[in-house]
Structure formats: C-alpha cells, structure tokens
Amino acid sequence: MKLQRLIPLALFLAAVGLLAAGLALGQPRDVLAKAARVCLECIGVG
Amino acid sequence: MDNKLRGRVQFVAALVQNADLRGFFTGRIDQGAQKAVCVPGLNCYSCPGALMSCPIGSLQAFLSARPVKVPYYVAGLLLFFGALLGRAVCGFLCPFGWIQELLHKIPFPRKKLGTFPGDRLLRRLKYLVLAGLVVLVPMLLTDWTPAFCKYLCPAGTLEGGVPLVLLHGERLHLEVGPLFFWKLFILVAVVLSGMAIYRPFCKYLCPLGALYAPFNRVALYRMRLSEDRCVACGKCARVCPMQVDPSKTPNSGECIRCGVCVGACPTKALRLGVREKQGQGIRDKGQGIRDKGQGIRD
C-alpha cells in the first residue's frame, strides 16, 4: 500500500522538478512564442 | 460518474480550451500570456478559439530547436496530468476525443463496428507515432517538423485549417496546396471511421494516448475491482467501447475511464476514483505491487 501511494507522489515530485527546471529556463516563453502565431504547417497550408 | 455528466464535462472542457470565439470571426488567434500553458488533451493552438497550447505541438517545437532543447516544462506538465489522471484526460478533457464521440453518435449507413480487423496490432501504431513523428523526426529531420502536426494531426485541420481557410483564407493569403488536401483526406478518413467505430484516432494514432497509457497503472485516479463482488458475468467487457475487459485489466492502457463498465456492473464490483476502499479484496491489476495486508493484489 505504501509503495502504491509512493509512486504517484514520486511522479508528482518529478513533475514539479521538471516544471521548475522549465520555468527557470524560461521555457513557457518558448511555448508562447510558438503558440501566438498561426502554425501554417499545423493547419496544412505551410 | 454517469455518461451524461461526463458529456457535460467534455463540452465544458472543450469550450474552456477554445473560449476565444471572436477568433473565428476575426481570423486572429489569441496571443495572451495564458497560451504559455499547455492543455492536457489534443487541441490545436492554431485554432482561432484556442486559449492555451497543444502539448504535442509544443513538444515538437522544443525537440526541433537547434541545439535541441530538452522540453522540461512540457514534460513536467504531461507528467503531472498523467500522474493525476492517466487516460482519464482522454475520456474527460480532450476536445478531439469528444468530437469523435459525437461523430460516433451519427447513424452509420452500415452496422457500427466494434473495431477494425487487426485491432491489437493497429493499437500499437500510436506508440510508433509518438516515438517517430513526435520525438525522432523533430530531433533528426528539422525540415519535416512539426511532423505529427504537419502530416497527421486531424485536430489541426478541423480546428485550425478548415475554419481559417474557409473564413479568412483570402485575407490571410493562405494558399491551399497538396499538403492541405492530404490533411483533409486524413480528417475525412478519421470522421468516417469515427462514425463506424468508437474513437479510432484515440485507439490507433494519438500520441497523447500513447503517452498517458502507462500512467493508467499508477495514476491517482484509477479503477479498482472488488474481487469479492465480481461474479465474472463479462458484462463490463461487453459494454466497453474501447474493448477492454475491466475484470481482467482494470487499469489497461487502453481504458479512457469513461465509466460505462462501472455503470453496467450488476454487483458494483468496479469503482473509479482516487481513494482506496480498504479490506474488500480489491484488485488493482497491472499495478505490479502486492500488499497482502490491505487485500490489494496484482
């Protein structure tokens, strides 16, 4: 039971670690830069 | 949760993710700061209504950068959604999954099919799509990127391509060429097959489904089977639209947590949720963990 609860906890901690690293590197800005313009390839006209 | 309520959740989720309805009239896509956040499901960020970003599109953008950027941020978000919900994301929050469910309600000229021939093999395709088109091609062949969005994703065509080309194509100088017709062909194939079988894109091609599938075994929100109550009638397997047998694999990677089996079980042996009910001989198959003290076994 303990292990069963520890796995999601470990995954959440890993997620927080990755998010923190991404935030520290300013990666949300990269996501925004890509998403703020129409991606012509994505809609099939690029 | 009954299926009507789930349908309402899906509708609200799709609306919240595409709430910038003005975009459909102006042809402009939202550029607000909230677009730095990825949604958990498949929703094209070039949809005129999209308020947030597509995780698969964002993932490819990082991997196709030179030098390659490790996508810590997107991976963290996906890991968070996966650890919390697993493929319940597909069943509740994915707009394109919901669209396919609506398509399946449309009467089909021929009898509705359960699956396509070669279903088991076809279901592995989505892992190839994830590894090939989402990860490897962006890393190795920059000119082809974003490969999944460009060559396969029908959500981008439906949510972004068709409305932008039809409503604002001339004004935005969008030139329709072979790529658009290829993507239109994929979309039509998904729409027609979606009328014949339940969620074909989720079953066979969706890289997000492939990504969330392993989390079904460990996510906080998952299925529990009470062995004491199960009478092995097989009803749960017969009603499952994803062709899973919850009495054998309640946490199969193919389960989207729609809960149809939970409602159909005559003895209430299946339960979906976060909390554990203790001391009922609950089986949490696929967990790979054995703990005799709590009556939970693999």
Side-chain angles (χ1 to χ4, degrees):
Chain A
M1 180 56 67
K2 274 183 186 171
L3 188 57
Q4 225 172 351
R5 285 182 183 164
L6 278 177
I7 292 173
L9 185 67
L11 291 173
F12 281 123
L13 286 176
V16 169
L18 287 168
L19 277 169
L23 289 170
L25 292 168
Q27 291 193 346
R29 268 201 314 273
D30 297 336
V31 172
L32 180 61
K34 174 76 182 165
R37 283 172 288 139
V38 175
C39 168
L40 294 177
E41 295 94 338
C42 303
I43 63 170
V45 294
Chain B
M1 183 180 286
D2 68 57
N3 234 20
K4 273 189 182 171
L5 185 55
R6 189 174 69 88
R8 286 184 197 129
V9 172
Q10 288 175 295
F11 169 70
V12 172
L15 194 64
V16 167
Q17 292 172 55
N18 297 289
D20 184 23
L21 299 177
R22 287 172 311 170
F24 288 99
F25 300 101
T26 62
R28 288 186 184 159
I29 63 168
D30 190 87
Q31 297 181 323
Q34 82 288 340
K35 229 169 178 180
V37 180
C38 296
V39 293
L42 199 67
N43 193 66
C44 185
Y45 44 31
S46 291
C47 168
L51 284 181
M52 286 175 268
S53 290
C54 170
I56 293 295
S58 304
L59 207 55
Q60 289 171 97
F62 279 106
L63 296 174
S64 59
R66 291 294 175 270
V68 172
K69 287 184 179 174
V70 181
Y72 296 109
Y73 173 66
V74 182
L77 282 172
L78 289 171
L79 190 57
F80 175 80
F81 295 134
L84 186 66
L85 295 167
R87 281 198 80 180
V89 167
C90 312
F92 286 83
L93 302 176
C94 180
F96 198 67
W98 179 59
I99 289 167
Q100 287 174 87
E101 284 191 22
L102 296 179
L103 285 170
H104 194 60
K105 291 181 196 286
I106 297 171
F108 191 61
R110 298 178 67 179
K111 195 184 168 191
K112 300 254 179 197
L113 306 169
T115 58
F116 287 133
D119 176 71
R120 282 190 68 180
L121 205 61
L122 283 172
R123 288 196 194 222
R124 293 181 188 165
L125 264 179
K126 58 180 173 288
Y127 299 98
L128 277 180
V129 170
L130 174 64
L133 294 183
V134 178
V135 179
L136 289 177
V137 173
M139 286 174 76
L140 304 173
L141 301 162
T142 318
D143 291 346
W144 288 26
T145 58
F148 171 73
C149 302
K150 193 171 178 179
Y151 300 111
L152 193 61
C153 183
T157 319
L158 179 69
E159 297 168 5
V162 172
L164 284 174
V165 167
L166 284 183
L167 300 174
H168 309 283
E170 215 166 290
R171 193 172 55 80
L172 297 174
H173 309 291
L174 300 176
E175 286 180 21
V176 171
L179 181 65
F180 186 77
F181 289 111
W182 164 251
K183 292 207 64 179
L184 215 51
F185 168 75
I186 301 259
L187 177 63
V188 170
V190 169
V191 167
L192 290 177
S193 56
M195 286 162 65
I197 74 164
Y198 186 80
R199 286 186 176 237
F201 185 76
C202 310
K203 280 177 181 168
Y204 306 128
L205 294 171
C206 184
L208 264 180
L211 216 145
Y212 288 132
F215 287 102
N216 266 5
R217 298 176 175 192
V218 292
L220 274 185
Y221 186 81
R222 60 176 182 265
M223 189 174 285
R224 273 104 184 173
L225 169 71
S226 171
E227 283 190 325
D228 297 348
R229 290 181 180 179
C230 180
V231 290
C233 65
K235 201 167 180 184
C236 52
R238 284 198 298 277
V239 297
C240 178
M242 294 296 282
Q243 287 76 43
V244 173
D245 184 350
S247 67
K248 290 180 181 152
T249 52
N251 290 307
S252 157
E254 296 297 323
C255 173
I256 57 162
R257 308 312 195 199
C258 66
V260 172
C261 57
V262 176
C265 179
T267 59
K268 307 286 174 217
L270 290 164
R271 200 172 63 84
L272 266 170
V274 173
R275 290 182 63 191
E276 206 80 61
K277 265 188 183 174
Q278 295 181 358
Q280 281 196 348
I282 297 166
R283 179 165 50 185
D284 206 353
K285 266 205 168 174
Q287 182 71 21
I289 297 161
R290 197 181 178 94
D291 189 337
K292 289 175 184 171
Q294 296 288 341
I296 295 170
R297 72 178 180 83
D298 179 26

